[in-house]
DNA sequence: TTGGAATGTCAACAAGACTGACGTATTCTA
DNA sequence: TAGAATACGTCAGTCTTGTTGACATTCCAA
């Protein structure tokens, strides 16, 4: 019989079998599919993709953010982001205002229409997250976040923590 | 001051603020980037993408699996999978043998070369998962898996559990 | 004041997903 | 046993989203 739960060894390190780690890997794979499924359905109706969702989400989170700022959070090239941004501006979901202090910068905001779509997307995603959290219970939620935070790259954790400031 | 941890209400349901749920959503987003970062680097060297990784992973997990089987696990179209599979077979990483019982089926196996790449990919991914699990501790690992499993779609959870059979 | 750095835009291309249609071999079933 | 269903492969075309390269504008510092 194989061990199905991590145990602590005399040296104080967690003993982890390849099987336990693989289960974590596959859980991550299948869960992420569920995580994106609901927004994907809504986006498809509007002719958008996940890239649009990500842009909308972080503009909502940090109103007035610049393109460069968004780039470092999203981790894509500016040309890639620009294409998405262009369609969102053209469709009237995002507004694009020249910076007052630095005229090279463009400050991004969601319009009324943009906020409406953001609501629909985040409602759907929160519903699933709420169900998962309630099903698993409060201790599980704490563990979930601890593992995910340890899984991030150094610089991504910085982005993550910067977003958390003021809401913790 | 906002609540930063879930609490239980008199009706027995977890009380979850939008902030708590959003943190879960953003943690998922940033962690998944870390989750795929190491394999992505290795794949890029070989001229492959994530699609190749997924195929290699599940062929390794279920040697002799059929194309149809793989399709339902990966959740892509056969045209999409076929493109990936064709290059893997051409490059000598995957073998493709006609079924003995049912000659319509093709059974997929990793070659020696395929197993070598699989090792490199899964070693990298396991290293990160091990670090995350050790950093977070055993209770956190249990919670992590509980939340992820509750986050999966019904049919994905079936695939996930089917893969677990015999290893739990 | 001028040259370099920073910010953002446009154009072209590639990977990888999708749909739809079709062909072939094989198996199942009425 | 004939016809329907299944398993697999392929061609053609589209879409999203990533990439590089070239370029305009703006700011700043030598």
């Amino acid at each position: 019989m194989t061990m199905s739960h991590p145990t602590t060894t005399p040296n104080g390190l967690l003993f982890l079998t390849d099987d336990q780690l693989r289960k974590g890997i596959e859980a991550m794979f299948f869960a992420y599919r569920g995580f994106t499924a609901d927004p994907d359905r809504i986006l498809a109706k509007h002719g958008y993709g996940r890239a649009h969702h990500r842009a909308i989400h972080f503009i909502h989170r940090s109103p007035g953010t610049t393109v460069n700022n968004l780039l470092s959070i999203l981790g894509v090239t500016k040309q890639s982001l620009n294409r998405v941004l262009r369609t969102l501006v053209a469709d009237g979901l995002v507004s694009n205002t020249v910076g007052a202090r630095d005229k090279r910068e463009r400050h991004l905001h969601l319009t009324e229409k943009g906020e409406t779509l953001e609501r629909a997307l985040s409602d759907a995603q929160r519903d699933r997250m709420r169900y998962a959290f309630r099903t698993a219970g409060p201790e599980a939620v704490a563990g979930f976040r601890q593992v995910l935070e340890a899984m991030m790259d150094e610089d991504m954790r910085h982005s993550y923590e910067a977003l958390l400031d003021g809401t913790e």
Side-chain angles (χ1 to χ4, degrees), chain A residues 67-86:
Chain A
V67 174
N68 242 357
N69 216 303
L70 213 48
L71 282 179
S72 62
I73 289 176
L74 296 178
V76 295
T77 58
K78 59 180 175 174
Q79 295 89 334
S80 204
L81 174 59
N82 185 258
R83 181 167 5 82
V84 168
L85 240 33
R86 206 182 334 179

Side-chain angles (χ1 to χ4, degrees), chain A residues 19-35 144 148 151:
Chain A
D19 261 6
Q20 288 159 0
L21 296 169
R22 191 187 29 69
K23 276 175 211 163
I25 290 168
E26 289 174 354
M28 204 59 189
F29 172 73
F30 288 113
Y32 198 79
R33 289 250 299 271
F35 173 69
F144 166 75
L148 290 190
M151 201 181 300

Side-chain angles (χ1 to χ4, degrees), chain A residues 33-63:
Chain A
R33 289 250 299 271
F35 173 69
T36 56
D38 305 320
D40 281 354
R41 271 188 285 274
I42 296 172
L43 290 159
K45 283 187 222 162
H46 295 253
Y48 296 136
R50 254 177 234 179
H52 300 84
H53 184 190
R54 293 194 284 267
I56 288 171
H57 176 94
F58 287 107
I59 293 173
H60 171 79
R61 280 285 277 139
S62 307

Side-chain angles (χ1 to χ4, degrees), chain A residues 81-102:
Chain A
L81 174 59
N82 185 258
R83 181 167 5 82
V84 168
L85 240 33
R86 206 182 334 179
T87 71
L88 290 176
V89 170
D91 295 352
L93 301 183
V94 168
S95 73
N96 203 350
T97 58
V98 174
R101 226 185 43 209
D102 188 334

